[in-house]
Amino acid sequence: MLWIVLGILAAWLVIDLAIRAIAVLAILPILERSPPFAVEPTAPSPTAEPVTFTSSDGVTLRGSLHLPSNGSPQALVIFCPELGGDHWSAGWYCRALQAAGFAVFAFDFRNQGESDRLPNYVPIHWLTEYEVRDAEAAIDYASHRPDLAGLPIGLFGISRGGSAALVAAAQSPAVRCVACEGVFSISTMSLHYTLRWSSLYVPPWAMRLLPIWHIRGTLALARWVSQRRRHCGYVVLEDWLGRLGDRSILMIVDGRDTYVLPEISETLFERFPQATSRRWLVKTAKHNLAREVDPEEFDGRIVEFFSQMVPRPSVPRSSAVPKPWLERVPRSVDRPVSS
């Protein structure tokens, strides 16, 4: 009887492994296909200072430092751009911060924009250890630069850049708060779309037989295989959110985002430190376009949020942004656009 039971278990294990292997082969092309985000370039700022620094693994990174007009910043915000964007997009997202007296330090992740390339690595929309390492290098550079050292530090990230900012903040006690828009995680996102579109590959009755832990395990296996194919290590954002402690978080959710759906953002937001996190839903915004919908509200909220780092009352929202900066500008010149 024992041998029969062991034989049944062995057969079940072989069948299970075969099913997982077939599933992984189907998942990999989808997992590694980056969505067609279209990000238009932002015009360089003639007043910004070019910045060059080095990551912990020796990759040269480049960016720009934008100082307030009076030259004496009250705090520093490090800007992490989205996939396909570059450090100049800080001119669109962070212009109100500079006007309100903040220094803005923006940089390009490796293999993106003006930063150096790492051989054998092609970045896609999923966050890897490389982007986190680059964000940490930016924090370290700013913390040790004489004219910036001692300033309160906040992070502001867009899409994948927001995920990198959150993980870097969880690892760096120097960071006081993080704002992010269009942020997502490989774990939450892949599970959502697997459950949503699995009927295209697997009969619904078969999917109902699989427990959720089995699906999660198969997705984890697919990530493991993909990491080795792409010469990188994926970072699961949820694993780091609990380490943010008492840092303040602002999560901007785009209500008409067809990629990071609002329900995906809600699931992820539940993992944020609830006592110190706030969420702003921009109902008519598409992916990363909250400022496009309402620049005055966007700028006011961003300035108000980061002003908590400054040891004095926050800048009044009504006066945070000069009126000329609220005027619409030609899209091809000054603002990035995501699909």
Side-chain angles (χ1 to χ4, degrees):
M1 180 63 70
L2 177 61
W3 288 107
I4 294 175
V5 172
L6 291 176
I8 294 173
L9 290 176
W12 179 86
L13 180 60
V14 170
I15 294 172
D16 183 68
L17 290 175
I19 292 174
R20 287 183 187 270
I22 294 171
V24 167
L25 291 175
I27 291 170
L28 280 175
I30 303 172
L31 188 70
E32 296 176 352
R33 184 186 307 138
S34 189
F37 297 136
V39 183
E40 294 190 12
T42 305
S45 170
T47 61
E49 174 192 341
V51 173
T52 300
F53 59 104
T54 305
S55 67
S56 60
D57 57 343
V59 178
T60 299
L61 306 174
R62 296 177 178 84
S64 53
L65 177 63
H66 308 254
L67 294 174
S69 57
N70 63 9
S72 301
Q74 55 185 344
L76 172 67
V77 174
I78 300 176
F79 180 76
C80 304
E82 63 191 299
L83 175 68
D86 59 29
H87 65 94
W88 293 119
S89 62
W92 170 251
Y93 289 103
C94 302
R95 54 175 49 190
L97 289 170
Q98 187 180 2
F102 291 82
V104 177
F105 170 36
F107 70 96
D108 290 335
F109 292 105
R110 66 186 66 194
N111 296 58
Q112 184 171 317
E114 300 173 13
S115 291
D116 281 1
R117 266 56 182 165
L118 182 70
N120 300 319
Y121 174 58
V122 178
I124 59 176
H125 55 307
W126 301 126
L127 178 68
T128 75
E129 77 232 79
Y130 294 136
E131 288 78 41
V132 174
R133 192 173 295 169
D134 295 347
E136 291 174 334
I139 296 170
D140 184 68
Y141 170 82
S143 299
H144 292 89
R145 177 169 160 150
D147 58 338
L148 300 178
L151 290 177
I153 296 177
L155 300 182
F156 184 13
I158 305 298
S159 201
R160 188 193 64 176
S163 299
L166 288 165
V167 177
Q171 299 183 28
S172 175
V175 177
R176 300 194 183 184
C177 54
V178 182
C180 54
E181 179 182 358
V183 70
F184 57 89
S185 167
I186 189 171
S187 178
T188 301
M189 186 80 81
S190 58
L191 178 61
H192 176 88
Y193 281 108
T194 295
L195 297 176
R196 183 176 182 179
W197 300 113
S198 60
S199 60
L200 297 176
Y201 304 90
V202 181
W205 63 264
M207 282 298 296
R208 287 193 291 269
L209 295 176
L210 295 176
I212 194 68
W213 59 264
H214 191 282
I215 298 173
R216 291 182 184 275
T218 302
L219 290 172
L221 179 60
R223 292 198 301 269
W224 183 84
V225 174
S226 179
Q227 290 176 136
R228 278 140 189 83
R229 284 161 45 110
R230 299 190 55 245
H231 309 285
C232 64
Y234 293 129
V235 177
V236 177
L237 180 58
E238 292 90 338
D239 293 344
W240 294 94
L241 296 180
R243 307 187 194 187
L244 287 168
D246 59 354
R247 292 174 179 82
S248 296
I249 309 296
L250 173 62
M251 182 183 193
I252 303 173
V253 178
D254 301 315
R256 292 181 59 194
D257 195 330
T258 56
Y259 181 63
V260 187
L261 302 176
E263 54 263 39
I264 296 177
S265 298
E266 287 291 344
T267 300
L268 190 60
F269 184 72
E270 292 174 359
R271 305 289 294 272
F272 281 47
Q274 293 301 300
T276 57
S277 301
R278 67 182 81 169
R279 168 185 164 278
W280 176 36
L281 173 64
V282 186
K283 294 182 179 180
T284 59
K286 295 182 179 180
H287 189 58
N288 301 337
L289 292 179
R291 190 174 188 276
E292 175 81 7
V293 170
D294 192 342
E296 185 171 7
E297 181 71 11
F298 184 96
D299 291 346
R301 285 178 180 264
I302 289 297
V303 170
E304 181 181 64
F305 176 72
F306 283 111
S307 290
Q308 66 185 292
M309 297 192 297
V310 183
R312 59 172 180 263
S314 299
V315 179
R317 292 177 58 183
S318 60
S319 61
V321 187
K323 289 300 181 182
W325 282 19
L326 297 181
E327 296 176 0
R328 298 178 66 84
V329 293
R331 174 170 298 179
S332 61
V333 174
D334 197 50
R335 62 174 180 261
V337 178
S338 301
S339 60

